[in-house]
Amino acid sequence: MRITLIHALKHSIVPIEASFARLWPQARLMNLLDDSLSADLARDGKLTERMTERFLTMGRYAASTGADGILFTCSAFGPCIEAVAREHAPMPVLKPNEAMIEQAVAQGKRIGLLSTFPPTLVSMPPEFPSSVQLVPKLAEGALAALDRGDRAGHDRLVVEASKDLRDCDLIALAQYSMAPAAERVAEATGRPVLTTPDSAVAKLKAMLGVG
């Protein structure tokens, strides 16, 4: 099976490849990175028609290479990804968070949503059903630390911010780049922690009928 991974942040590549290596090593991966997407979204302040067109172009390119499925790892672009999914149905095209959201909703009613990218805390909450209570939290400065190459600083800020979510049933990490900090967040909070890459790989395997 050939899976195309489409990224808006280079930090997402290592965590999702690690999840595939652990959970589905037989998958053949192809990475597409456009690291101007997040900067352009931050500049524009909202998703535009032009942005949707860019996503459709990437989806068509991925499909043209023979992809069996597409996984987007960038969490602030939900409507753009939905447009790609509609165009390529029934091929699995996953938003980065949808599998984790399904898992979170099945496991708890009060969910801590921890993010390092502010637009995610605008775009992602509407993807959760109204039956759950969402407690959003930004790990301020963590993404900037990662951009400087300071993974330890990033993880420390994520863990620190997570302590405000100790009264939740579980904690969902919104960015793929946060996954390496999951174990430490669980230790610091005593809460179950879900990561987007592990959830996404498990869902893709199920959708493609892989045992």
Side-chain angles (χ1 to χ4, degrees):
M1 290 279 181
R2 182 185 179 108
I3 306 296
T4 299
L5 307 171
I6 301 183
H7 316 280
L9 292 168
K10 59 182 180 293
H11 310 308
S12 305
I13 297 174
V14 170
I16 186 60
E17 288 190 336
S19 291
F20 270 100
R22 204 169 60 254
L23 302 173
W24 191 7
Q26 302 82 5
R28 288 185 301 130
L29 303 181
M30 165 188 168
N31 288 292
L32 288 181
L33 168 66
D34 179 352
D35 57 6
S36 70
L37 291 167
S38 294
D40 291 349
L41 173 59
R43 181 199 65 208
D44 296 339
K46 64 181 195 304
L47 296 173
T48 61
E49 256 179 69
R50 173 82 192 103
M51 184 66 82
T52 301
E53 272 307 315
R54 289 168 68 180
F55 272 73
L56 289 168
T57 299
M58 290 187 290
R60 288 167 194 146
Y61 177 72
S64 76
T65 69
D68 295 295
I70 300 173
L71 172 61
F72 286 88
T73 67
C74 31
S75 59
F77 300 89
C80 301
I81 297 165
E82 286 162 13
V84 178
R86 284 192 298 271
E87 182 166 287
H88 295 283
M91 177 169 64
V93 175
L94 288 196
K95 288 189 283 191
N97 313 308
E98 63 183 87
M100 182 182 73
I101 290 169
E102 287 166 13
Q103 271 192 298
V105 170
Q107 291 179 26
K109 286 286 177 215
R110 182 175 164 84
I111 299 165
L113 181 63
L114 187 57
S115 172
T116 57
F117 185 51
T120 298
L121 293 177
V122 176
S123 66
M124 198 168 160
E127 295 179 33
F128 284 82
S130 56
S131 58
V132 299
Q133 183 190 0
L134 213 54
V135 184
K137 176 72 181 173
L138 179 67
E140 288 195 48
L143 192 57
L146 202 56
D147 286 337
R148 293 193 303 270
D150 182 6
R151 162 59 71 179
H154 166 276
D155 290 1
R156 189 180 66 253
L157 290 165
V158 167
V159 170
E160 204 50 49
S162 74
K163 293 175 183 174
D164 289 346
L165 302 173
R166 279 186 282 215
D167 61 344
C168 296
D169 297 330
L170 61 112
I171 296 171
L173 302 184
Q175 266 71 47
Y176 276 57
S177 51
M178 299 168 75
E183 216 168 283
R184 287 182 55 201
V185 169
E187 283 169 13
T189 61
R191 300 288 90 195
V193 176
L194 295 179
T195 71
T196 36
D198 278 7
S199 299
V201 174
K203 177 161 182 169
L204 265 179
K205 283 181 77 172
M207 290 179 80
L208 289 164
V210 177

PDB file of all heavy atoms in Angstrom, residues 159 162-166 171 184-193:
ATOM      1  N   VAL A 159       4.761  20.008  28.145  1.00  0.00           N
ATOM      2  CA  VAL A 159       4.497  19.315  29.416  1.00  0.00           C
ATOM      3  C   VAL A 159       3.988  20.311  30.461  1.00  0.00           C
ATOM      4  O   VAL A 159       3.018  20.038  31.184  1.00  0.00           O
ATOM      5  CB  VAL A 159       5.764  18.584  29.909  1.00  0.00           C
ATOM      6  CG1 VAL A 159       5.573  18.076  31.335  1.00  0.00           C
ATOM      7  CG2 VAL A 159       6.105  17.431  28.971  1.00  0.00           C
ATOM      8  N   SER A 162       0.451  21.272  29.798  1.00  0.00           N
ATOM      9  CA  SER A 162      -0.487  20.157  29.982  1.00  0.00           C
ATOM     10  C   SER A 162      -0.979  20.054  31.424  1.00  0.00           C
ATOM     11  O   SER A 162      -2.052  19.500  31.679  1.00  0.00           O
ATOM     12  CB  SER A 162       0.159  18.836  29.559  1.00  0.00           C
ATOM     13  OG  SER A 162       1.123  18.397  30.514  1.00  0.00           O
ATOM     14  N   LYS A 163      -0.212  20.598  32.352  1.00  0.00           N
ATOM     15  CA  LYS A 163      -0.594  20.474  33.773  1.00  0.00           C
ATOM     16  C   LYS A 163      -1.912  21.189  34.073  1.00  0.00           C
ATOM     17  O   LYS A 163      -2.586  20.874  35.048  1.00  0.00           O
ATOM     18  CB  LYS A 163       0.540  20.992  34.664  1.00  0.00           C
ATOM     19  CG  LYS A 163       1.783  20.112  34.594  1.00  0.00           C
ATOM     20  CD  LYS A 163       2.942  20.711  35.380  1.00  0.00           C
ATOM     21  CE  LYS A 163       4.204  19.853  35.225  1.00  0.00           C
ATOM     22  NZ  LYS A 163       5.375  20.484  35.866  1.00  0.00           N
ATOM     23  N   ASP A 164      -2.278  22.165  33.224  1.00  0.00           N
ATOM     24  CA  ASP A 164      -3.571  22.848  33.396  1.00  0.00           C
ATOM     25  C   ASP A 164      -4.745  21.971  32.971  1.00  0.00           C
ATOM     26  O   ASP A 164      -5.902  22.367  33.146  1.00  0.00           O
ATOM     27  CB  ASP A 164      -3.598  24.147  32.572  1.00  0.00           C
ATOM     28  CG  ASP A 164      -2.697  25.218  33.163  1.00  0.00           C
ATOM     29  OD1 ASP A 164      -2.267  25.051  34.328  1.00  0.00           O
ATOM     30  OD2 ASP A 164      -2.424  26.213  32.473  1.00  0.00           O
ATOM     31  N   LEU A 165      -4.459  20.812  32.399  1.00  0.00           N
ATOM     32  CA  LEU A 165      -5.526  19.938  31.877  1.00  0.00           C
ATOM     33  C   LEU A 165      -5.707  18.686  32.729  1.00  0.00           C
ATOM     34  O   LEU A 165      -6.329  17.726  32.304  1.00  0.00           O
ATOM     35  CB  LEU A 165      -5.202  19.545  30.417  1.00  0.00           C
ATOM     36  CG  LEU A 165      -5.038  20.718  29.449  1.00  0.00           C
ATOM     37  CD1 LEU A 165      -4.561  20.223  28.082  1.00  0.00           C
ATOM     38  CD2 LEU A 165      -6.354  21.492  29.288  1.00  0.00           C
ATOM     39  N   ARG A 166      -5.188  18.731  33.947  1.00  0.00           N
ATOM     40  CA  ARG A 166      -5.221  17.532  34.793  1.00  0.00           C
ATOM     41  C   ARG A 166      -6.631  17.135  35.215  1.00  0.00           C
ATOM     42  O   ARG A 166      -6.851  16.010  35.648  1.00  0.00           O
ATOM     43  CB  ARG A 166      -4.347  17.735  36.034  1.00  0.00           C
ATOM     44  CG  ARG A 166      -2.866  17.510  35.743  1.00  0.00           C
ATOM     45  CD  ARG A 166      -2.018  17.577  36.985  1.00  0.00           C
ATOM     46  NE  ARG A 166      -1.794  18.948  37.396  1.00  0.00           N
ATOM     47  CZ  ARG A 166      -0.665  19.394  37.952  1.00  0.00           C
ATOM     48  NH1 ARG A 166       0.327  18.560  38.184  1.00  0.00           N
ATOM     49  NH2 ARG A 166      -0.521  20.651  38.293  1.00  0.00           N
ATOM     50  N   ILE A 171      -6.215  13.763  27.453  1.00  0.00           N
ATOM     51  CA  ILE A 171      -5.604  14.900  26.765  1.00  0.00           C
ATOM     52  C   ILE A 171      -5.291  14.500  25.328  1.00  0.00           C
ATOM     53  O   ILE A 171      -4.694  13.449  25.083  1.00  0.00           O
ATOM     54  CB  ILE A 171      -4.319  15.347  27.493  1.00  0.00           C
ATOM     55  CG1 ILE A 171      -4.673  15.858  28.900  1.00  0.00           C
ATOM     56  CG2 ILE A 171      -3.594  16.442  26.697  1.00  0.00           C
ATOM     57  CD1 ILE A 171      -3.473  16.120  29.780  1.00  0.00           C
ATOM     58  N   ARG A 184       5.706  11.992  28.390  1.00  0.00           N
ATOM     59  CA  ARG A 184       5.975  12.923  29.492  1.00  0.00           C
ATOM     60  C   ARG A 184       4.720  13.678  29.914  1.00  0.00           C
ATOM     61  O   ARG A 184       4.531  13.973  31.103  1.00  0.00           O
ATOM     62  CB  ARG A 184       7.089  13.907  29.102  1.00  0.00           C
ATOM     63  CG  ARG A 184       8.468  13.236  29.073  1.00  0.00           C
ATOM     64  CD  ARG A 184       9.568  14.215  28.731  1.00  0.00           C
ATOM     65  NE  ARG A 184       9.578  15.355  29.637  1.00  0.00           N
ATOM     66  CZ  ARG A 184      10.135  16.528  29.346  1.00  0.00           C
ATOM     67  NH1 ARG A 184      10.734  16.703  28.182  1.00  0.00           N
ATOM     68  NH2 ARG A 184      10.106  17.520  30.211  1.00  0.00           N
ATOM     69  N   VAL A 185       3.843  13.977  28.958  1.00  0.00           N
ATOM     70  CA  VAL A 185       2.564  14.617  29.298  1.00  0.00           C
ATOM     71  C   VAL A 185       1.732  13.667  30.168  1.00  0.00           C
ATOM     72  O   VAL A 185       1.138  14.081  31.172  1.00  0.00           O
ATOM     73  CB  VAL A 185       1.787  15.015  28.020  1.00  0.00           C
ATOM     74  CG1 VAL A 185       0.359  15.435  28.350  1.00  0.00           C
ATOM     75  CG2 VAL A 185       2.513  16.147  27.287  1.00  0.00           C
ATOM     76  N   ALA A 186       1.713  12.393  29.807  1.00  0.00           N
ATOM     77  CA  ALA A 186       0.966  11.409  30.591  1.00  0.00           C
ATOM     78  C   ALA A 186       1.518  11.315  32.014  1.00  0.00           C
ATOM     79  O   ALA A 186       0.766  11.253  33.001  1.00  0.00           O
ATOM     80  CB  ALA A 186       1.010  10.047  29.903  1.00  0.00           C
ATOM     81  N   GLU A 187       2.836  11.333  32.120  1.00  0.00           N
ATOM     82  CA  GLU A 187       3.472  11.272  33.452  1.00  0.00           C
ATOM     83  C   GLU A 187       3.141  12.516  34.282  1.00  0.00           C
ATOM     84  O   GLU A 187       2.852  12.421  35.482  1.00  0.00           O
ATOM     85  CB  GLU A 187       4.992  11.167  33.303  1.00  0.00           C
ATOM     86  CG  GLU A 187       5.499   9.788  32.909  1.00  0.00           C
ATOM     87  CD  GLU A 187       6.976   9.817  32.528  1.00  0.00           C
ATOM     88  OE1 GLU A 187       7.653  10.828  32.806  1.00  0.00           O
ATOM     89  OE2 GLU A 187       7.449   8.837  31.934  1.00  0.00           O
ATOM     90  N   ALA A 188       3.176  13.677  33.646  1.00  0.00           N
ATOM     91  CA  ALA A 188       2.974  14.942  34.368  1.00  0.00           C
ATOM     92  C   ALA A 188       1.532  15.140  34.804  1.00  0.00           C
ATOM     93  O   ALA A 188       1.266  15.824  35.805  1.00  0.00           O
ATOM     94  CB  ALA A 188       3.414  16.121  33.493  1.00  0.00           C
ATOM     95  N   THR A 189       0.595  14.561  34.061  1.00  0.00           N
ATOM     96  CA  THR A 189      -0.828  14.825  34.323  1.00  0.00           C
ATOM     97  C   THR A 189      -1.562  13.633  34.925  1.00  0.00           C
ATOM     98  O   THR A 189      -2.642  13.796  35.489  1.00  0.00           O
ATOM     99  CB  THR A 189      -1.549  15.201  33.013  1.00  0.00           C
ATOM    100  OG1 THR A 189      -1.447  14.097  32.087  1.00  0.00           O
ATOM    101  CG2 THR A 189      -0.941  16.446  32.388  1.00  0.00           C
ATOM    102  N   GLY A 190      -1.013  12.436  34.742  1.00  0.00           N
ATOM    103  CA  GLY A 190      -1.731  11.242  35.172  1.00  0.00           C
ATOM    104  C   GLY A 190      -2.945  10.931  34.320  1.00  0.00           C
ATOM    105  O   GLY A 190      -3.806  10.129  34.696  1.00  0.00           O
ATOM    106  N   ARG A 191      -3.029  11.549  33.141  1.00  0.00           N
ATOM    107  CA  ARG A 191      -4.178  11.359  32.242  1.00  0.00           C
ATOM    108  C   ARG A 191      -3.769  10.529  31.037  1.00  0.00           C
ATOM    109  O   ARG A 191      -2.618  10.569  30.603  1.00  0.00           O
ATOM    110  CB  ARG A 191      -4.683  12.712  31.707  1.00  0.00           C
ATOM    111  CG  ARG A 191      -5.156  13.711  32.726  1.00  0.00           C
ATOM    112  CD  ARG A 191      -6.484  13.340  33.348  1.00  0.00           C
ATOM    113  NE  ARG A 191      -6.296  12.534  34.542  1.00  0.00           N
ATOM    114  CZ  ARG A 191      -7.239  11.824  35.146  1.00  0.00           C
ATOM    115  NH1 ARG A 191      -8.449  11.780  34.653  1.00  0.00           N
ATOM    116  NH2 ARG A 191      -6.978  11.139  36.233  1.00  0.00           N
ATOM    117  N   PRO A 192      -4.725   9.780  30.442  1.00  0.00           N
ATOM    118  CA  PRO A 192      -4.432   9.151  29.150  1.00  0.00           C
ATOM    119  C   PRO A 192      -4.157  10.236  28.098  1.00  0.00           C
ATOM    120  O   PRO A 192      -4.788  11.300  28.126  1.00  0.00           O
ATOM    121  CB  PRO A 192      -5.719   8.390  28.808  1.00  0.00           C
ATOM    122  CG  PRO A 192      -6.517   8.346  30.066  1.00  0.00           C
ATOM    123  CD  PRO A 192      -6.099   9.525  30.888  1.00  0.00           C
ATOM    124  N   VAL A 193      -3.238   9.962  27.193  1.00  0.00           N
ATOM    125  CA  VAL A 193      -2.867  10.944  26.164  1.00  0.00           C
ATOM    126  C   VAL A 193      -3.009  10.300  24.781  1.00  0.00           C
ATOM    127  O   VAL A 193      -2.494   9.207  24.545  1.00  0.00           O
ATOM    128  CB  VAL A 193      -1.411  11.440  26.370  1.00  0.00           C
ATOM    129  CG1 VAL A 193      -1.002  12.385  25.247  1.00  0.00           C
ATOM    130  CG2 VAL A 193      -1.281  12.141  27.722  1.00  0.00           C
TER     131      VAL A 193
END
